Amino acid sequence: REYMPIPQSGSSNGAIYSQTSGLVNFPVSNSGNYYPSSERIFSEKALENSPLDRVLGLTQPGSSWEGHAVQYAYQANNANEVLKIITTSIYSEGISKATTLTFSGYYAGATLYKNKITDEDGNVSYEFKNGQGQVLLVRKELSTTTYADTYYVYNEYDQLAFVISPLASDSFKSSPN
């Protein structure tokens, strides 16, 4: 749990207030002066039971968010799921004169991290990352068969060079030439 900020009546000389310290001024007991007593004054994380300690669910502070957690799932990509887009830059006198995009097929299966995120309202999105942690694709699920894909393309120096919007990605997915 992570608690909302709660002003305290004194500094306690920089000491940390702990639940077991027996202090009358324990921070949560002082929260009624600043937040309604029925309000959830903390966010809560559900962690994966593994050494990775990845977040599986996150509930925000506030009573209205209770039962509306953000859900996370960790997977790998499937074959023919994410287009592989490569940039080629032509330099003259140290200045980039032209950069072209080339479609190089699809990433092989299980070569990208695929994170599924379901927000508080049940909207699903997928984030595909390479081994360097760079986001290559964000896929928003509009319906069970319709997606909005935003591609992120990096140059030969691993710098973000292009962001391809969903409308543009729709046009080249049908015929990537």
Side-chain angles (χ1 to χ4, degrees):
R1 291 183 175 181
E2 293 180 12
Y3 285 87
M4 299 281 290
I6 303 170
Q8 299 302 304
S9 58
S11 71
S12 188
N13 295 324
I16 296 174
Y17 291 109
S18 70
Q19 204 163 12
T20 59
S21 66
L23 296 172
V24 176
N25 235 9
F26 175 63
V28 177
S29 64
N30 198 25
S31 67
N33 299 333
Y34 304 98
Y35 300 105
S37 61
S38 62
E39 198 65 37
R40 278 189 52 189
I41 61 168
F42 57 87
S43 63
E44 198 165 16
K45 291 180 184 176
L47 300 176
E48 182 180 64
N49 190 14
S50 81
L52 297 175
D53 252 359
R54 295 183 292 194
V55 177
L56 295 175
L58 174 64
T59 305
Q60 296 296 336
S63 298
S64 44
W65 291 112
E66 198 163 2
H68 298 281
V70 177
Q71 301 294 322
Y72 300 91
Y74 303 95
Q75 308 163 352
N77 70 305
N78 299 318
N80 299 330
E81 188 173 20
V82 180
L83 281 172
K84 186 183 273 190
I85 306 171
I86 299 171
T87 62
T88 305
S89 300
I90 299 170
Y91 293 94
S92 176
E93 300 172 17
I95 299 172
S96 176
K97 296 291 184 184
T99 302
T100 59
L101 293 175
T102 307
F103 301 100
S104 180
Y106 291 89
Y107 284 93
T111 57
L112 300 175
Y113 297 102
K114 178 180 178 181
N115 301 330
K116 178 181 178 183
I117 304 156
T118 307
D119 70 11
E120 297 90 348
D121 295 323
N123 300 315
V124 177
S125 63
Y126 297 90
E127 189 176 74
F128 296 85
K129 293 182 180 182
N130 63 15
Q132 295 174 295
Q134 296 169 324
V135 175
L136 301 176
L137 169 63
V138 173
R139 176 170 285 158
K140 304 279 184 185
E141 190 176 280
L142 304 177
S143 71
T144 55
T145 58
T146 310
Y147 301 98
D149 292 348
T150 303
Y151 279 88
Y152 298 86
V153 185
Y154 299 86
N155 63 16
E156 55 270 20
Y157 302 110
D158 291 329
Q159 299 167 327
L160 181 62
F162 296 96
V163 176
I164 302 173
S165 70
L167 187 58
S169 69
D170 279 346
S171 67
F172 68 73
K173 276 194 295 191
S174 58
S175 61
N177 293 326

